[in-house]
Amino acid sequence: MKKGIVVAVRQGQDREKKNNVLYVTIARLPSKMQNGNLWFPKNAETLITACFNFAYSPDQYNRHKDLPIGSLVEISTAINEYTDKPFVQDLKVVVKSAFTDEQLF
């Protein structure tokens, strides 16, 4: 599993069906290799955006809509059968952020 820090949470609407959609942007952290060294992701792989559609997964939408910026999360990925591309299947909150809005903005 990959770990990351939440850098943005925003709500929007699907263009086609006008469903509520939640976008969670995560900055991926380095992974520790077996020899103890850190492996850093490429710049293009550092930011990951998870998309949760209320119509298809209302529990995940509601669970992550109030996720504070700066929270540490574990990222579970899966492969889309039609496009063969990875996507974020779920996020597990490891530690919620202790930062306030005044400290962040």
Side-chain angles (χ1 to χ4, degrees):
M1 284 207 191
K2 301 170 184 145
K3 289 188 180 177
I5 296 176
V6 176
V7 294
V9 177
R10 62 185 175 89
Q11 297 177 4
Q13 280 193 336
D14 183 12
R15 290 183 187 174
E16 296 174 4
K17 298 182 181 179
K18 302 298 182 196
N19 294 331
N20 289 334
V21 180
L22 181 72
Y23 300 99
V24 180
T25 305
I26 305 148
R28 212 170 124 194
L29 295 174
S31 304
K32 192 172 266 195
M33 298 186 294
Q34 290 180 346
N35 63 3
N37 293 337
L38 292 177
W39 178 84
F40 293 89
K42 298 175 187 173
N43 288 343
E45 298 171 352
T46 300
L47 287 180
I48 299 171
T49 301
C51 180
F52 300 107
N53 192 321
F54 184 77
Y56 302 117
S57 56
D59 57 332
Q60 290 181 349
Y61 181 93
N62 290 327
R63 188 171 11 139
H64 301 306
K65 72 178 180 181
D66 297 324
L67 191 61
I69 294 174
S71 298
L72 180 65
V73 294
E74 283 186 354
I75 306 161
S76 299
T77 57
I79 301 292
N80 185 321
E81 296 175 0
Y82 300 108
T83 62
D84 285 336
K85 293 184 178 180
F87 68 95
V88 176
Q89 186 175 22
D90 194 17
L91 298 176
K92 179 183 173 190
V93 179
V94 178
V95 177
K96 282 201 174 189
S97 177
F99 299 115
T100 63
D101 284 348
E102 293 82 28
Q103 292 172 323
L104 292 173
F105 307 109

